[in-house]
Amino acid sequence: MVKKRWWENENVPGHISNALLRTAREVMKHVAMCQSGMSGPKYSQVYSGALSGDGAIPITIECMVATGLPKRTVVGLPGSAVRECMDRIWSAMSSTGILPPRGVLTVNLAPADVAKHGTLFDLPIALGLILADASPSGKRWPDDHACAGELSLNGHIQPVKGILPFVLAARRSGRTKILVPAGNALEASHVPGVTVYPVRTLAQAIDHVSCESRIAPFSRHRRIKERRTSRSMDVSDVVGQTYAVDALTVAAAGGHNCIMIGPPGCGKTMLAERFTGILPEWSEQLALEANCIHSLRGLLTEKGWKQERPFRSPHHTISRAGMLGGGRPIVPGEASLAHGGVLFLDEMTQFSRSVLEGLREPLESRRIVLSRLRDAVSFPAGFQLIAAINPCPCGWDRSEKKKCTCSDVQKLQYAARLSGPILDRIDMHIALLPVDPAAFQSRGESTTRELRVMVRRAIEYRKRRRQAVPNCELSGPDLESLTSSEGLDHVADVMAARALSARSRLRILRIARTCADMDGSPLVRRLDVTRAASYRRLDGVTELGMVLSEQRNRVEA
Ligand SMILES: [Zn+2]
């Protein structure tokens, strides 16, 4: 039996009877109801979206304002940034001159089994609470609207990451009128079929939703067109490397991955930086996919849209998660940021083995799947790999300019760092010699514009041959049917002379097919095979310096 406290014992003088306590509770409840002017729980619904993998899913935000002692709760797997939102919302409301709702506030983010991360829920939750508080007046969130945005303490709305996937998800769920932070409006306007309302302050958003003053829809015409290739990055800046420029044009036309071997300062990085310029225009679908990835990382807010194919050049100290993606929440890595463009690995041998091995999956399937305890996330990673290496650790093996200081063992170990499996996925290996000082008097022979035309013609010719996949993905039987008998004989001769594997033969035939496309030839000819074989310099090489001396002999001959 529970012992009664002294004040609960009716025999003690001065006790408060249970009946009185009950009355006191009723009075407190009545006072609270009078203060907030409510008669029962009030409810509202607002539509938004949560980022998940490389996309987003539609989210319904439910807000309930009930009587009771003040309490704020957010449920539905909110991340730490979402849980903190209530403090930002309170300050923003106070700064805007709105009395924040009182009582027991419950916010539910449905579906409740999807993790919610990021700050894009600030604006929809704030609007949901205001609408719930005003629900007796009959104001409701319009069914065709969705919104996202981060609130600052003074009521302004800040840009958020991942607006592009958010707008795509909203459109899929039939919501075509989207309120986004003004800083994200350009980015959002690239999704066709939606009306974008740029919001600058919380007050503006409230006026828009309550139809007191509508925000003018964002117009794409204000957008300033960027030039596709800036003049400062033209291939003609690279002098004395005609062989490498030709090889990279073939790589661009056939989608071949390429590795450049050469001493320091011969122009490997310059060539790689100019490579995206000669790639053909990308399709709208590819541009949207690549921009979604950049949007998730918050890299679009400045310019609003990536017009050019991406060029990513991560440092060799990058971690596996930095390259492939990871973290919590999972964000895409450099390999996905290079989707649709070029991933350039300078000093490829310096990258850690686990990073290079991790690239095998995207090179094969053009996607990266990251599995975690709860879920698996997949990001697109269809990049073209361009790598650069020195012939030896010091960089001057078999050079006429400087003396190499590396031992034979060092050189062999250095060459062995290029692992077989990753090298197998690189079609072309080209050797670059130091530039002749006399060449600096002139400019390069070809401009980016000319090379791009050549690449476009080769791709158009391939499409006329009714081949949908790029040449780098052709299989053996298909290639043989596209090669003339003299071409096949010549491949057999090259294989015998250089003791090549069947895999090398396949690569040579693929490159030869691209060379034939560039000349508009329906069948691969003998000269195409000769040219292709010259782009396979690492076949059967134990020391990387050998490719340079071979190349020098070729030039002198
Ligand atoms: Zn050396």
Side-chain angles (χ1 to χ4, degrees):
M1 182 191 156
V2 183
K3 198 186 163 196
K4 277 192 176 179
R5 306 289 176 88
W6 66 268
W7 63 84
E8 290 166 341
N9 190 339
E10 287 177 19
N11 298 327
V12 175
H15 78 276
I16 304 169
S17 72
N18 288 342
L20 193 58
L21 272 172
R22 249 201 319 277
T23 315
R25 263 192 232 115
E26 289 295 319
V27 170
M28 276 171 66
K29 198 172 164 186
H30 182 74
V31 169
M33 275 170 64
C34 290
Q35 274 182 344
S36 53
M38 61 178 69
S39 49
K42 297 185 286 189
Y43 174 82
S44 74
Q45 265 190 354
V46 172
Y47 303 111
S48 187
L51 304 177
S52 165
D54 64 335
I57 47 171
I59 295 287
T60 305
I61 295 172
E62 297 176 295
C63 296
M64 178 83 88
V65 181
T67 50
L69 293 172
K71 192 181 167 198
R72 314 163 186 168
T73 324
V74 181
V75 294
L77 287 187
S80 49
V82 185
R83 277 196 299 271
E84 287 166 357
C85 75
M86 284 298 197
D87 294 328
R88 287 191 293 272
I89 290 171
W90 248 242
S91 295
M93 281 187 183
S94 306
S95 310
T96 311
I98 299 162
L99 194 64
R102 278 171 291 176
V104 182
L105 312 179
T106 313
V107 177
N108 179 35
L109 310 171
D113 60 342
V114 178
K116 325 287 186 312
H117 298 283
T119 51
L120 58 85
F121 295 103
D122 289 10
L123 179 63
I125 292 178
L127 291 175
L129 289 170
I130 292 165
L131 284 175
D133 208 27
S135 58
S137 66
K139 270 179 195 149
R140 281 182 66 244
W141 179 257
D143 276 340
D144 56 351
H145 275 57
C147 78
E150 178 186 325
L151 285 173
S152 57
L153 301 186
N154 61 2
H156 284 240
I157 292 168
Q158 304 292 340
V160 291
K161 290 179 184 174
I163 275 293
L164 208 50
F166 160 77
V167 177
L168 286 168
R171 189 186 64 176
R172 270 202 308 278
S173 61
R175 307 191 205 290
T176 52
K177 293 183 172 147
I178 324 272
L179 271 72
V180 299
N184 291 122
L186 181 57
E187 186 182 332
S189 68
H190 282 84
V191 179
V194 295
T195 313
V196 173
Y197 296 101
V199 194
R200 288 179 198 283
T201 61
L202 179 61
Q204 232 185 359
I206 295 166
D207 287 348
H208 180 85
V209 173
S210 61
C211 304
E212 274 172 27
S213 146
R214 304 289 274 189
I215 300 167
F218 183 79
S219 151
R220 276 271 291 282
H221 299 299
R222 292 179 211 165
R223 185 176 130 208
I224 307 150
K225 277 218 161 186
E226 280 175 69
R227 288 171 67 189
R228 192 172 180 275
T229 319
S230 51
R231 181 61 196 85
S232 55
M233 290 282 253
D234 200 286
V235 177
S236 58
D237 304 336
V238 185
V239 292
Q241 294 293 7
T242 317
Y243 162 77
V245 170
D246 288 350
L248 287 176
T249 313
V250 174
H256 306 287
N257 298 317
C258 180
I259 185 165
M260 296 182 275
I261 307 122
C266 66
K268 301 188 290 283
T269 308
M270 274 180 89
L271 280 167
E273 282 169 350
R274 284 150 183 80
F275 183 72
T276 47
I278 60 174
L279 289 173
E281 291 272 355
W282 52 359
S283 65
E284 261 179 43
Q285 179 59 27
L286 190 60
L288 199 60
E289 282 173 13
N291 274 285
C292 268
I293 296 288
H294 281 74
S295 172
L296 283 170
R297 288 280 298 260
L299 300 175
L300 285 184
T301 42
E302 263 180 38
K303 287 185 179 169
W305 189 255
K306 207 160 173 44
Q307 304 261 59
E308 293 172 20
R309 287 174 180 259
F311 174 80
R312 304 298 299 186
S313 170
H315 191 253
H316 62 74
T317 52
I318 190 171
S319 68
R320 194 181 158 94
M323 181 65 94
L324 306 174
R328 178 175 272 255
I330 301 175
V331 292
E334 288 291 332
S336 294
L337 286 170
H339 180 62
V342 171
L343 181 68
F344 176 52
L345 303 184
D346 200 5
E347 300 289 339
M348 191 170 89
T349 48
Q350 305 288 327
F351 282 79
S352 84
R353 192 155 197 116
S354 82
V355 169
L356 291 180
E357 296 290 312
L359 287 176
R360 284 163 56 178
E361 185 202 346
L363 282 172
E364 201 74 12
S365 61
R366 306 179 75 75
R367 278 198 93 77
I368 292 175
V369 180
L370 298 163
S371 297
R372 293 290 181 272
L373 186 65
R374 279 170 186 274
D375 51 358
V377 170
S378 124
F379 293 114
F383 55 82
Q384 201 165 343
L385 182 72
I386 303 289
I389 49 171
N390 287 333
C392 68
C394 82
W396 300 104
D397 190 18
R398 298 175 211 214
S399 164
E400 289 165 343
K401 275 186 164 182
K402 274 192 193 178
K403 196 171 157 32
C404 172
T405 54
C406 312
S407 69
D408 288 350
V409 176
Q410 275 178 316
K411 284 182 202 167
L412 286 172
Q413 281 174 341
Y414 186 78
R417 266 197 242 163
L418 279 179
S419 80
I422 188 89
L423 205 55
D424 270 350
R425 285 160 180 82
I426 299 179
D427 283 353
M428 298 174 65
H429 330 132
I430 54 173
L432 276 75
L433 293 176
V435 182
D436 181 11
F440 285 105
Q441 305 295 326
S442 60
R443 292 191 67 80
E445 285 174 11
S446 320
T447 64
T448 296
R449 183 190 288 263
E450 289 161 7
L451 297 179
R452 204 190 309 142
V453 170
M454 283 166 72
V455 169
R456 199 190 306 138
R457 270 201 210 122
I459 291 173
E460 277 164 10
Y461 185 77
R462 163 173 65 79
K463 287 182 179 161
R464 274 209 300 280
R465 288 194 287 114
R466 306 219 177 128
Q467 181 191 314
V469 295
N471 292 335
C472 65
E473 290 175 20
L474 278 179
S475 63
D478 291 341
L479 277 166
E480 272 161 31
S481 65
L482 291 166
T483 308
S484 67
S485 55
E486 54 154 16
L488 286 172
D489 290 346
H490 190 48
V491 173
D493 293 346
V494 173
M495 268 184 87
R498 291 166 59 178
L500 300 183
S501 65
R503 189 173 277 133
S504 295
R505 176 178 180 269
L506 179 70
R507 308 275 160 183
I508 290 177
L509 283 175
R510 281 179 184 169
I511 305 167
R513 183 59 257 172
T514 307
C515 297
D517 281 347
M518 293 186 79
D519 285 351
S521 162
L523 285 177
V524 172
R525 303 151 300 173
R526 187 187 164 89
L527 66 104
D528 298 323
V529 174
T530 311
R531 189 176 172 192
S534 78
Y535 298 144
R536 294 282 305 174
R537 310 312 293 270
L538 288 175
D539 281 330
V541 163
T542 48
E543 278 180 42
L544 300 181
M546 284 161 70
V547 299
L548 293 182
S549 47
E550 228 179 76
Q551 173 75 5
R552 193 173 301 118
N553 295 341
R554 217 177 73 100
V555 171
E556 277 161 13

